Amino acid sequence: MQLAKVLGQVVSTAKEPGLDRFSLLLVQDALDTDPEQTSGPAYVAVDVVGAGVGEVVLVAAGGAARVAAGADVPTDRAVVAIADTVVRDGTVSYRK
C-alpha cells in the first residue's frame, strides 16, 4: 500500500457496470518525508471510503485493490483509508 494525496475527481458517465457504485479519484503518491507533498505521475483510483480532494489516503494496488472494491470490479488501484495521522520514527509527519 502507498500513501497518496487526492488531487481531484474523474467523472465518467459511461463505465463498467461494477464501477457504478464508486467515485473515481485522481491521486498522486506522497513523499516519504512529508505526506502532503507529492511526486510522480497522477493516476486514477476507485474510492471505496469516501475520500475528498486534498486528503492524504492509503492506496492499495493490484489484487488487494480488486478485493477492496469487490472481486467483480476491474481496478488496479483503490483508495482504502483516509489518513488521520502519520507517524514516522516517533515523529508526527502528518496530522489531519
Side-chain angles (χ1 to χ4, degrees):
M1 288 189 272
Q2 172 71 39
L3 282 174
K5 187 171 184 179
V6 178
L7 303 177
Q9 253 190 337
V10 176
V11 178
S12 176
T13 55
K15 55 188 170 184
E16 177 71 27
L19 292 172
D20 287 342
R21 63 187 187 266
F22 299 110
S23 295
L24 303 175
L25 297 177
L26 183 64
V27 297
Q28 190 172 27
D29 289 344
L31 292 177
D32 288 338
T33 54
D34 182 358
E36 291 190 281
Q37 300 299 314
T38 58
S39 176
Y43 53 89
V44 177
V46 170
D47 180 18
V48 300
V49 294
V53 174
E55 290 190 294
V56 175
V57 297
L58 193 59
V59 177
R66 284 184 287 284
V67 168
D72 62 329
V73 178
T75 185
D76 288 327
R77 301 194 188 205
V79 173
V80 296
I82 300 169
D84 293 319
T85 306
V86 176
V87 180
R88 181 183 173 136
D89 297 325
T91 303
V92 175
S93 62
Y94 170 78
R95 187 178 312 267
K96 187 173 180 180

